[in-house]
Amino acid sequence: MQVAACGVCRTDLHVVDGELPNPKLPIVPGHEIVGRIDKVADGTDALSIGQRVGVPWLGQTCGQCRYCRNGSENLCDRPLFTGYTRDGGYATHMVADARYVFALPQDGDDIATAPLLCAGLIGWRSLQIAGDGQKIGLYGFGAAAHIIAQVACWQGREVFAFTRKGDDAAQAFARTLGARWSGSSEDAPPEPLDCAIIYAPVGSLVPLALRAVRKGGRVVCAGIHMTDIPSFPYDILWHEREIKSVANLTRQDGEEFFKIVPKARIRTETVSYPLTRANEALADLRNGRLRGAAVLVP
Ligand SMILES: [Zn+2]
Ligand SMILES: [Zn+2]
């Protein structure tokens, strides 16, 4: 397929930095891809030439392990991941397994759509795993949180956005997207939260989030990689508080999420870079210089 736009995700930084085990090397990163089909394999009926599609992180699963068989293909024992263990979308063209590709509306803004393929999808999965609590905290207000804040507000929840200390721009941005409160991740929220999702790869946020949730509250870690979680007093986990991680996505998550996108009227904030400036986009993400999501355009 021909790549029209590819989002830059924090996971790409972990791939480039060698922080994830057993990558395919050399590797073409990128797993938030919007493009158009320019060739289909013999016997592929589901997709047609010219069709607009999205390619996510989940590149392939085995279909046979216990996880694939019980509806948890996100945990497959023998998966392939786009831009990590098979080549991804930092490219003009790429090959995808048609069974794991999402059909997208034929018309649409390719750049604005790209971040939905991971920040949106993983964000959606983490939101579901957080449960249906009314007061939800989002730690790390980057690409995923700016999408999920909109979904949560559309669902009628109250969003509390936590950013790096002193990041006034991100805190103001969160409020423009409907957050009821925004502040530093070191601050306590004005009232106890029902649940919290941590999007930043920072283990020290786990005890902070545990302190912010009420009894029975849940803290969801949505990243693929996190710095070590510091030890903390049992007291802040006590009273049936929970910590849970979110891994990957299922195709079912995608089917659900792409139905919600138009209903929730999700608008993504993007900064586009030509493909030749991919390293600059990665550096800007690393240094927290982005508002919203970086997207490469070949
Ligand atoms: Zn499997
Ligand atoms: Zn990603």
Side-chain angles (χ1 to χ4, degrees):
M1 59 179 269
Q2 210 169 358
V3 177
C6 181
V8 177
C9 173
R10 182 163 295 281
T11 299
D12 302 343
L13 277 180
H14 299 314
V15 169
V16 169
D17 291 346
E19 286 170 327
L20 304 182
N22 308 315
K24 167 192 170 293
L25 291 175
I27 182 72
V28 179
H31 57 270
E32 299 184 300
I33 305 142
V34 177
R36 284 173 184 73
I37 305 286
D38 62 355
K39 209 166 187 179
V40 287
D42 291 342
T44 302
D45 305 326
L47 299 170
S48 51
I49 306 284
Q51 190 172 354
R52 184 169 177 262
V53 294
V55 182
W57 170 249
L58 189 75
Q60 204 171 72
T61 55
C62 77
Q64 288 160 5
C65 72
R66 62 185 293 179
Y67 302 103
C68 283
R69 288 200 315 260
N70 76 6
S72 307
E73 64 180 1
N74 59 308
L75 301 178
C76 175
D77 283 334
R78 290 179 294 279
L80 286 178
F81 296 114
T82 311
Y84 170 31
T85 53
R86 65 179 285 161
D87 284 330
Y90 285 26
T92 57
H93 293 76
M94 67 170 293
V95 178
D97 184 324
R99 297 169 298 170
Y100 297 82
V101 161
F102 297 114
L104 296 176
Q106 212 46 27
D107 300 315
D109 182 333
D110 297 329
I111 294 173
T113 303
L116 301 179
L117 268 301
C118 179
L121 282 173
I122 302 281
W124 169 244
R125 184 172 180 85
S126 61
L127 182 64
Q128 286 177 296
I129 287 180
D132 54 11
Q134 178 70 12
K135 297 180 203 309
I136 182 165
L138 303 178
Y139 284 80
F141 207 83
H146 100 285
I147 294 169
I148 290 316
Q150 297 174 60
V151 177
C153 290
W154 170 74
Q155 291 174 328
R157 307 193 203 211
E158 295 169 52
V159 172
F160 297 75
F162 297 81
T163 73
R164 289 183 226 211
K165 194 175 177 185
D167 193 347
D168 299 338
Q171 290 168 17
F173 180 41
R175 284 192 297 273
T176 67
L177 294 176
R180 205 191 109 192
W181 175 92
S182 59
S184 157
S185 47
E186 289 160 37
D187 296 342
E191 51 198 299
L193 306 175
D194 298 315
C195 51
I197 307 174
I198 302 176
Y199 291 112
V202 181
S204 59
L205 292 173
V206 173
L208 289 170
L210 275 174
R211 288 182 196 277
V213 298
R214 63 165 171 78
K215 290 184 279 191
R218 183 178 287 180
V219 173
V220 176
C221 303
I224 190 170
H225 178 83
M226 204 179 222
T227 55
D228 286 354
I229 300 171
S231 70
F232 53 82
Y234 176 62
D235 187 45
I236 62 174
L237 181 63
W238 169 240
H239 283 126
E240 301 192 349
R241 290 179 181 87
E242 293 174 273
I243 306 173
K244 193 160 172 162
S245 68
V246 169
N248 314 316
L249 68 138
T250 64
R251 284 172 282 182
Q252 169 96 27
D253 294 326
E255 306 299 335
E256 291 167 7
F257 178 64
F258 283 109
K259 280 190 194 125
I260 284 174
V261 168
K263 288 189 205 158
R265 305 172 81 91
I266 294 173
R267 296 274 173 272
T268 54
E269 182 95 3
T270 55
V271 184
S272 63
Y273 298 74
L275 177 57
T276 49
R277 284 169 51 202
N279 284 326
E280 203 178 308
L282 285 166
D284 288 348
L285 175 60
R286 186 189 301 281
N287 296 317
R289 283 196 290 258
L290 290 165
R291 194 177 97 158
V295 179
L296 303 178
V297 181

